[in-house]
Every structure is written in structure tokens, then in C-alpha cells.
Amino acid sequence: MPNLKAILSPGAGVDHLFRDPALPRHVPMVKVVQERMTRGIVQYVVLHVLRHHRHMPAYQAQQRERLWQELKQPGAWDRPVGIMGLGTLGRASVKALADLGFRVAGWSRTRKRIKGVETFAGAGEFAAFLGRSEILVCLLALTPETTGIVNARTIAKLPAGASFVNLARGRHVVEADLLAALDAGHLSHATLDVFHQEPLPPASRFWSHPQVTVTPHRAGNSDRLAIIDQMLDAVERLESGRTLRHRVNTRHGY
Ligand code: NDP
């Protein structure tokens, strides 16, 4: 396509485009950034962080056993939550969690400064970030560097009994390592919206694992008409020579 002027991705993630070895990297690429999507993601993060923080999976298991037993409940400030990825969605999520009083930290490739949030950057600070995160949330872009980033070695750095929420991409996680950490009790629970194979195959152990919550890649809630509006805006900007919004950095792949 020698006349291709721009690539407009109808989603927030663009990893699928970078899997194409013939992708022309000089052509500008635009991704979807939507208020409604961001709000949906923040709701999902808050819902599941609170669910882990307030021991809901354990209380639901106790209810099935008709067991009346209080579990020790730390305050939000005594619950360190870690968000991997401080892009559009990670940044909105850390702010919402900080507003709820959580001790929130974020980790990203480049250094960020966000009021009320402890920030870590780069591979050199990853272990310290993991070591303090009792609830870990993945909102990273999927690139060759972040593929399989949640694996046996990194999970082992989390505090014992930590829980994990993944709503970024399935391939951030080595699924067998995650299952092994849940089986061994090092992780108490995982909430997963995204998987290597979607729809999740009926034979997957995630479906029946007592410490796993599965949702069908619906954490974000996109609005088709708003996506079309954003694409029309990109075409108009391109044709009138104005700067494109929500450009993807084709060198970094996100
Ligand atoms: P952005 O591109 O805005 O942010 C990506 C973040 O990942 C940035 O903070 C970036 O760091 C960080 N990052 C990238 N590479 C590395 C690395 N090697 N080490 C550390 N940090 C890294 O993405 P969005 O916020 O828009 O989306 C986040 C994820 O959510 C994506 O994977 C997307 O596909 C997924 N998603 C899922 C949805 C769902 O329904 N489940 C819906 C929408 C999106 P830096 O800031 O330094 O550049």
C-alpha cells in the first residue's frame, strides 16, 4: 500500500498491528482514547482492588461453608497496591485508588510524577515495586519487553498472599506460572479479563480454579460511535495538515 497515509486502530491496544513484520513504521498510527473506555477501566480496577482488599473471594468461600469468621481487615492506607503501566488507563486508575485512600504505587518505562502516588521506573526498580505490591494490577502496553513479564520469577517477588488483576493483555502473563503460584498459595487470587486465547477455551483450568475470577475481555466499555467520531477527526486532521491526536510511538510499539 504505497499510498497509505495513516493507520487508525479501532482499539486502545495496538500490539496486534506490531505483530505484522510488514508494518510500515513510518506511517503515522493512531489509537483510540475514550473517556468512556477510561471510566470503564477505572471502575473495573476499583471494583476488583476493593474486592481483594475486603477479602470478598474468601468471604464468598466461607459463605458456601456457612462459616461466620471475621478476617483481619487492614485499612486502605495499609494496603499497598501496585499498578504496572502509567499510560492513559494506569494513570486514571492510580488516581482513583489514591482518592480511596490506598497506598498506591505505579511502575512505567519512563519516570512519572503523580501527586499522592509512589512511582517506580524501568527494569532497575521493578523488583522494589513488586516487593511492596500486595495487590498487583497490570495495565501495561504489550510489547516484546513486556510479553511474559508476569512469570514465576516476578511473581515470587510479590509478598506472600498477594493478589493479581490483569486487564491489559493475556500475553503479559505466563499462564502456567500464574496457575502454579495460585496452587502453591503464594498468590491468593487472580482476576483475569484477558487471556492468551480468547474466548478462553472450555478446557482451561482458569474456568474452574477456586482462586480465579474470569471475565470475558469486557473491562473497558467502548462506544462504537465515539470510535467512528475519533477516526473521522483523525482523517480530517490528516487532510488539513493538522497534528494527529493519540499518536502511537511506532519506535516503542505502543
Ligand atoms: P498506554 O500506551 O497509554 O500506556 C502503556 C504503559 O505501559 C505506559 O505507562 C508505558 O510506560 C508502560 N510500558 C510500556 N513498556 C514498558 C516497559 N518495558 N516497562 C515498563 N513500563 C512499560 O496504554 P493504555 O493505558 O491505553 O492501555 C493499557 C493496556 O490496557 C494495554 O495493554 C491495552 O491493550 C489494555 N486495554 C484493555 C482493555 C480491556 O477491555 N481489558 C481495554 C483497553 C485497553 P511509559 O509511560 O513510560 O511510556
Side-chain angles (χ1 to χ4, degrees), residues 31 86-89 109-110 112 140-141 167 169 193 220 254:
K31 67 170 192 165
L86 291 172
T88 310
L89 305 177
R109 193 176 55 79
T110 57
K112 302 282 183 301
L140 287 170
L167 62 158
R169 284 289 179 264
D193 187 50
Y254 64 93

Side-chain angles (χ1 to χ4, degrees), residues 83-133:
I83 309 280
M84 301 160 76
L86 291 172
T88 310
L89 305 177
R91 194 175 260 268
S93 299
V94 290
K95 284 186 181 152
L97 292 171
D99 284 348
L100 284 172
F102 282 102
R103 185 136 59 88
V104 195
W107 178 70
S108 51
R109 193 176 55 79
T110 57
R111 174 82 51 207
K112 302 282 183 301
R113 289 195 206 296
I114 307 170
K115 198 165 166 265
V117 175
E118 193 182 354
T119 52
F120 295 80
E125 294 178 15
F126 193 35
F129 164 78
L130 291 173
R132 47 86 61 215
S133 297

